[in-house]
Amino acid sequence: MLKYNIRGENIEVTEPIRDYVEKKIDKLERYFTETPDANVHVNLKVYSDKNAKVEVTIPLPNLVLRAEETSGDLYASIDLIVDKLERQIRKHKTKVNRKFRDKGAERDYFAYSDVNGSTPPEENEGDLEIVRTKQFSLKPMDSEEAVLQMNLLGHSFYVYTDAETNGTNIVYSRKDGKYGLIETN
């Protein structure tokens, strides 16, 4: 059963908005063999330029579905995000089911038939093909130096060893032009 945690930033989450979000996201249940027991996290944001951003995260066992969408209309953003999540599920369900079978799961995670009851053709196996492998030594540095190295190389992320903790960390460029840091344990 899907449980909803809907938060609004610069917008009051009214009952009609809540109902619309739940009704739309509940449509995703048809893609599962069993309705997952999951908390759906929905963030609704309205900016000063009147654009509405919707972020949906659905943490499932061994899998996280996540999408975000921005448009001039909150309801259109909700529609677009559900379409995006459906595309993610349809694109990856064969691979996910195969991975769970390989791990000894008794049943498939996603249902195979689509809305019309027909079974889609097998997905292209090459979608996850690794075409290049690189090896390199991780140099100890701080996050600021790692961002500088990333920018010098023109990459969108950079892996390095943190000089203080000796842990492997990753810095990355965000869509908003800022930087993110992933720290490992």
Side-chain angles (χ1 to χ4, degrees):
M1 181 175 147
L2 297 176
K3 296 180 244 38
Y4 291 87
N5 176 7
I6 303 173
R7 290 185 32 226
E9 293 181 30
N10 300 327
I11 183 174
E12 179 187 346
V13 181
T14 62
E15 201 58 38
I17 292 173
R18 177 177 299 282
D19 290 344
Y20 192 80
V21 167
E22 290 180 10
K23 183 180 113 189
K24 288 295 189 172
I25 294 176
D26 277 344
K27 290 181 179 181
L28 297 176
E29 289 183 9
R30 69 177 177 237
Y31 290 102
F32 296 94
T33 51
E34 284 181 15
T35 302
D37 193 23
N39 291 313
V40 179
H41 303 282
V42 181
N43 243 2
L44 308 172
K45 298 178 187 177
V46 176
Y47 298 108
S48 56
D49 63 0
K50 302 297 183 220
N51 274 332
K53 180 177 183 178
V54 178
E55 300 171 349
V56 174
T57 306
I58 308 173
L60 301 167
N62 305 313
L63 180 71
V64 175
L65 295 174
R66 185 178 190 298
E68 60 182 62
E69 192 63 55
T70 304
S71 75
D73 178 10
L74 178 68
Y75 290 96
S77 291
I78 294 166
D79 291 343
L80 290 169
I81 208 157
V82 170
D83 291 344
K84 201 178 259 190
L85 288 167
E86 285 181 327
R87 280 193 309 273
Q88 283 179 19
I89 291 169
R90 282 195 308 266
K91 181 177 180 184
H92 297 293
K93 71 180 167 187
T94 303
K95 293 176 192 96
V96 169
N97 283 343
R98 187 177 304 114
K99 197 69 152 170
F100 282 126
R101 271 196 307 271
D102 291 347
K103 290 182 176 181
E106 293 179 21
R107 277 189 248 206
D108 287 335
Y109 200 75
F110 291 115
Y112 271 98
S113 59
D114 64 14
V115 181
N116 304 321
S118 62
T119 302
E122 284 289 313
E123 311 239 349
N124 181 358
E125 293 288 333
D127 286 352
L128 298 177
E129 180 183 0
I130 295 173
V131 295
R132 186 173 180 192
T133 301
K134 285 186 175 183
Q135 292 183 340
F136 57 94
S137 299
L138 298 180
K139 178 183 166 201
M141 61 181 73
D142 61 19
S143 58
E144 192 173 294
E145 184 181 349
V147 169
L148 290 172
Q149 288 290 326
M150 175 183 69
N151 289 336
L152 283 171
L153 293 170
H155 290 178
S156 58
F157 69 94
Y158 190 80
V159 181
Y160 68 99
T161 298
D162 185 88
E164 285 183 28
T165 66
N166 213 26
T168 303
N169 290 353
I170 304 159
V171 290
Y172 61 94
S173 299
R174 295 169 37 99
K175 289 180 186 174
D176 62 7
K178 297 179 180 164
Y179 301 102
L181 171 66
I182 299 172
E183 298 176 321
T184 61
N185 297 0

Coordinates of all heavy atoms in Angstrom, one line a residue, residues 31 62-63 65 87-105 107-112 120-130:
Y31 N 1.7 -1.4 -12.4 CA 3.0 -1.9 -12.9 C 3.6 -2.9 -12.0 O 4.6 -3.6 -12.3 CB 4.0 -0.8 -13.2 CG 3.6 0.1 -14.3 CD1 3.0 1.3 -14.1 CD2 3.8 -0.4 -15.6 CE1 2.6 2.1 -15.2 CE2 3.4 0.4 -16.7 CZ 2.8 1.6 -16.5 OH 2.4 2.4 -17.5
N62 N 15.2 -2.5 -2.3 CA 16.2 -2.7 -3.4 C 16.1 -1.8 -4.6 O 16.7 -2.1 -5.6 CB 16.3 -4.2 -3.8 CG 16.5 -5.1 -2.7 OD1 17.3 -4.9 -1.8 ND2 15.7 -6.2 -2.6
L63 N 15.2 -0.8 -4.5 CA 15.0 0.0 -5.7 C 14.4 1.4 -5.3 O 13.6 1.4 -4.3 CB 14.0 -0.7 -6.6 CG 13.6 -0.1 -7.9 CD1 14.7 -0.1 -8.9 CD2 12.4 -0.8 -8.5
L65 N 12.5 4.7 -7.0 CA 11.9 5.4 -8.2 C 12.0 6.9 -7.8 O 11.5 7.3 -6.7 CB 10.5 5.0 -8.4 CG 10.3 3.6 -8.9 CD1 8.8 3.3 -9.0 CD2 11.0 3.3 -10.2
R87 N 7.6 5.8 -17.6 CA 8.6 5.5 -18.6 C 9.8 4.8 -17.9 O 10.3 3.8 -18.5 CB 9.1 6.8 -19.3 CG 8.2 7.2 -20.4 CD 8.8 8.3 -21.3 NE 9.4 9.4 -20.6 CZ 8.7 10.5 -20.2 NH1 7.4 10.6 -20.5 NH2 9.3 11.5 -19.5
Q88 N 10.2 5.2 -16.7 CA 11.3 4.6 -16.0 C 10.9 3.1 -15.7 O 11.7 2.2 -16.0 CB 11.5 5.3 -14.7 CG 12.3 6.6 -14.7 CD 12.4 7.2 -13.3 OE1 12.3 6.5 -12.3 NE2 12.7 8.4 -13.3
I89 N 9.7 2.9 -15.3 CA 9.3 1.5 -14.9 C 9.3 0.7 -16.2 O 9.8 -0.4 -16.2 CB 7.9 1.5 -14.2 CG1 8.1 2.1 -12.8 CG2 7.4 0.1 -14.1 CD1 6.8 2.4 -12.1
R90 N 8.6 1.2 -17.2 CA 8.5 0.4 -18.5 C 9.9 0.1 -19.1 O 10.2 -1.0 -19.6 CB 7.7 1.1 -19.5 CG 6.2 1.0 -19.2 CD 5.4 1.4 -20.5 NE 5.7 2.7 -21.0 CZ 5.1 3.8 -20.7 NH1 4.1 3.8 -19.8 NH2 5.5 5.0 -21.2
K91 N 10.8 1.0 -19.0 CA 12.1 0.9 -19.6 C 12.9 -0.2 -18.8 O 13.7 -0.9 -19.4 CB 12.9 2.2 -19.6 CG 14.2 2.1 -20.2 CD 14.9 3.5 -20.2 CE 16.3 3.4 -20.8 NZ 17.0 4.6 -20.8
H92 N 12.8 -0.2 -17.5 CA 13.7 -1.1 -16.7 C 13.1 -2.3 -16.1 O 13.7 -3.1 -15.5 CB 14.3 -0.2 -15.6 CG 15.2 0.9 -16.1 ND1 16.3 0.7 -16.8 CD2 15.0 2.2 -16.1 CE1 16.9 1.9 -17.1 NE2 16.1 2.8 -16.7
K93 N 11.8 -2.5 -16.3 CA 11.1 -3.6 -15.6 C 11.7 -5.0 -16.0 O 11.9 -5.9 -15.1 CB 9.6 -3.6 -15.7 CG 9.1 -4.0 -17.1 CD 7.6 -3.9 -17.0 CE 6.9 -3.9 -18.4 NZ 5.5 -3.7 -18.3
T94 N 12.0 -5.2 -17.2 CA 12.6 -6.5 -17.6 C 13.9 -6.8 -16.9 O 14.2 -7.8 -16.4 CB 12.8 -6.6 -19.1 OG1 11.5 -6.4 -19.8 CG2 13.3 -8.0 -19.6
K95 N 14.8 -5.7 -16.9 CA 16.1 -5.8 -16.2 C 15.9 -6.0 -14.7 O 16.7 -6.8 -14.1 CB 16.9 -4.6 -16.6 CG 17.3 -4.5 -18.0 CD 18.0 -3.2 -18.3 CE 18.1 -2.9 -19.7 NZ 17.1 -2.0 -20.2
V96 N 15.0 -5.3 -14.1 CA 14.9 -5.4 -12.7 C 14.3 -6.8 -12.3 O 14.8 -7.4 -11.4 CB 13.9 -4.3 -12.2 CG1 13.5 -4.5 -10.7 CG2 14.5 -2.9 -12.3
N97 N 13.3 -7.3 -13.0 CA 12.8 -8.6 -12.8 C 13.9 -9.7 -12.9 O 14.0 -10.6 -12.1 CB 11.6 -8.9 -13.7 CG 10.4 -8.2 -13.3 OD1 10.2 -7.7 -12.2 ND2 9.4 -8.1 -14.2
R98 N 14.7 -9.5 -14.0 CA 15.8 -10.5 -14.2 C 16.8 -10.5 -13.0 O 17.2 -11.5 -12.5 CB 16.5 -10.2 -15.5 CG 17.5 -11.3 -15.9 CD 18.2 -11.1 -17.2 NE 17.2 -10.9 -18.3 CZ 17.0 -9.8 -19.0 NH1 17.7 -8.8 -18.7 NH2 16.2 -9.8 -20.0
K99 N 17.1 -9.3 -12.6 CA 18.1 -9.1 -11.4 C 17.5 -9.8 -10.2 O 18.2 -10.4 -9.5 CB 18.3 -7.6 -11.2 CG 19.5 -7.3 -10.4 CD 20.7 -7.7 -11.2 CE 21.9 -6.9 -10.9 NZ 23.1 -7.4 -11.5
F100 N 16.2 -9.5 -9.9 CA 15.6 -10.1 -8.7 C 15.5 -11.7 -8.8 O 15.7 -12.4 -7.8 CB 14.2 -9.5 -8.4 CG 14.3 -8.2 -7.8 CD1 13.6 -7.1 -8.3 CD2 15.0 -8.0 -6.6 CE1 13.7 -5.8 -7.8 CE2 15.1 -6.7 -6.0 CZ 14.4 -5.6 -6.6
R101 N 15.2 -12.2 -10.0 CA 15.2 -13.6 -10.2 C 16.6 -14.2 -10.0 O 16.7 -15.2 -9.3 CB 14.8 -14.0 -11.6 CG 13.3 -14.1 -11.7 CD 12.9 -14.8 -13.0 NE 13.4 -14.2 -14.2 CZ 12.9 -13.3 -14.9 NH1 11.7 -12.8 -14.6 NH2 13.4 -12.8 -16.0
D102 N 17.6 -13.5 -10.5 CA 19.0 -14.0 -10.2 C 19.4 -14.0 -8.8 O 20.2 -14.8 -8.3 CB 20.0 -13.1 -11.0 CG 19.9 -13.2 -12.5 OD1 19.3 -14.2 -13.0 OD2 20.5 -12.4 -13.2
K103 N 18.7 -13.1 -8.0 CA 19.0 -13.1 -6.5 C 18.1 -14.1 -5.8 O 18.1 -14.1 -4.6 CB 18.8 -11.7 -6.0 CG 19.8 -10.7 -6.4 CD 19.6 -9.3 -5.8 CE 20.7 -8.4 -6.2 NZ 20.5 -7.1 -5.6
G104 N 17.3 -14.8 -6.5 CA 16.5 -15.9 -5.9 C 15.1 -15.4 -5.4 O 14.4 -16.1 -4.6
A105 N 14.6 -14.3 -6.0 CA 13.2 -13.8 -5.6 C 12.2 -14.8 -6.2 O 12.4 -15.4 -7.3 CB 13.0 -12.5 -6.2
R107 N 9.1 -14.2 -7.0 CA 8.2 -13.6 -8.0 C 8.9 -12.4 -8.7 O 9.8 -11.8 -8.1 CB 7.0 -13.0 -7.3 CG 5.9 -13.9 -7.1 CD 4.7 -13.1 -6.6 NE 4.5 -13.4 -5.2 CZ 3.4 -13.3 -4.7 NH1 2.4 -12.8 -5.3 NH2 3.3 -13.6 -3.4
D108 N 8.3 -12.0 -9.8 CA 8.8 -10.8 -10.5 C 8.4 -9.6 -9.7 O 7.3 -9.6 -9.1 CB 8.3 -10.7 -11.9 CG 9.0 -11.7 -12.8 OD1 10.1 -12.1 -12.5 OD2 8.4 -12.1 -13.8
Y109 N 9.2 -8.5 -9.8 CA 8.9 -7.3 -9.0 C 7.8 -6.5 -9.8 O 6.8 -6.0 -9.2 CB 10.2 -6.5 -8.9 CG 10.2 -5.5 -7.8 CD1 10.3 -5.8 -6.5 CD2 10.0 -4.1 -8.1 CE1 10.3 -4.9 -5.5 CE2 10.0 -3.2 -7.2 CZ 10.1 -3.6 -5.8 OH 10.1 -2.6 -4.9
F110 N 8.0 -6.4 -11.1 CA 7.1 -5.6 -11.9 C 6.2 -6.6 -12.7 O 6.7 -7.6 -13.1 CB 7.8 -4.7 -12.9 CG 8.5 -3.6 -12.3 CD1 9.9 -3.5 -12.3 CD2 7.8 -2.6 -11.6 CE1 10.5 -2.4 -11.7 CE2 8.4 -1.5 -11.0 CZ 9.8 -1.4 -11.0
A111 N 5.0 -6.2 -13.0 CA 4.1 -7.0 -13.8 C 4.5 -6.9 -15.2 O 5.0 -5.8 -15.7 CB 2.6 -6.5 -13.7
Y112 N 4.4 -8.0 -16.0 CA 4.9 -7.9 -17.4 C 3.9 -7.3 -18.4 O 4.2 -6.8 -19.4 CB 5.2 -9.3 -17.9 CG 6.7 -9.6 -17.6 CD1 7.0 -10.4 -16.4 CD2 7.7 -9.2 -18.4 CE1 8.3 -10.6 -16.1 CE2 9.0 -9.4 -18.1 CZ 9.3 -10.2 -17.0 OH 10.6 -10.4 -16.7
P120 N 5.0 -6.7 -23.4 CA 5.9 -6.0 -24.3 C 7.1 -6.9 -24.7 O 7.4 -7.8 -24.1 CB 6.4 -4.8 -23.4 CG 6.2 -5.4 -22.0 CD 5.0 -6.3 -22.1
P121 N 7.7 -6.5 -25.8 CA 8.9 -7.3 -26.3 C 10.0 -7.1 -25.3 O 10.0 -6.1 -24.5 CB 9.2 -6.7 -27.6 CG 8.6 -5.3 -27.6 CD 7.4 -5.4 -26.7
E122 N 10.9 -8.1 -25.2 CA 12.1 -7.9 -24.4 C 12.8 -6.7 -24.7 O 13.0 -6.2 -25.8 CB 13.0 -9.1 -24.6 CG 12.5 -10.4 -23.9 CD 12.6 -10.4 -22.4 OE1 13.6 -10.0 -21.8 OE2 11.6 -10.7 -21.8
E123 N 13.4 -6.0 -23.7 CA 14.1 -4.8 -23.8 C 15.5 -5.1 -24.4 O 16.0 -6.2 -24.2 CB 14.3 -4.1 -22.5 CG 12.9 -4.0 -21.8 CD 12.5 -2.6 -21.5 OE1 13.4 -1.7 -21.6 OE2 11.4 -2.4 -21.1
N124 N 16.1 -4.1 -25.0 CA 17.4 -4.3 -25.6 C 18.4 -4.5 -24.5 O 18.6 -3.7 -23.6 CB 17.7 -3.0 -26.4 CG 19.1 -3.1 -27.0 OD1 19.8 -4.0 -26.8 ND2 19.4 -2.0 -27.7
E125 N 19.1 -5.6 -24.5 CA 20.1 -5.9 -23.5 C 21.3 -4.9 -23.5 O 21.9 -4.7 -22.5 CB 20.7 -7.3 -23.8 CG 19.7 -8.4 -23.6 CD 19.4 -8.7 -22.1 OE1 20.2 -8.4 -21.2 OE2 18.3 -9.1 -21.8
G126 N 21.6 -4.3 -24.6 CA 22.7 -3.4 -24.7 C 22.6 -2.1 -23.9 O 23.5 -1.3 -23.9
D127 N 21.4 -1.8 -23.4 CA 21.1 -0.5 -22.7 C 22.1 -0.3 -21.5 O 22.4 0.8 -21.2 CB 19.7 -0.4 -22.2 CG 18.7 -0.2 -23.3 OD1 19.1 0.1 -24.4 OD2 17.5 -0.2 -23.0
L128 N 22.5 -1.4 -20.9 CA 23.4 -1.3 -19.7 C 24.8 -1.8 -20.0 O 25.6 -2.0 -19.1 CB 22.8 -2.1 -18.6 CG 21.5 -1.7 -18.1 CD1 21.0 -2.6 -16.9 CD2 21.5 -0.2 -17.5
E129 N 25.1 -1.8 -21.3 CA 26.5 -2.3 -21.7 C 27.5 -1.3 -21.3 O 27.4 -0.1 -21.6 CB 26.5 -2.5 -23.2 CG 27.8 -3.0 -23.7 CD 27.8 -3.2 -25.2 OE1 26.8 -2.9 -25.9 OE2 28.9 -3.6 -25.7
I130 N 28.6 -1.8 -20.6 CA 29.7 -0.9 -20.3 C 30.6 -0.9 -21.5 O 31.1 -2.0 -21.9 CB 30.4 -1.4 -19.0 CG1 29.4 -1.3 -17.8 CG2 31.7 -0.6 -18.8 CD1 29.9 -1.9 -16.6

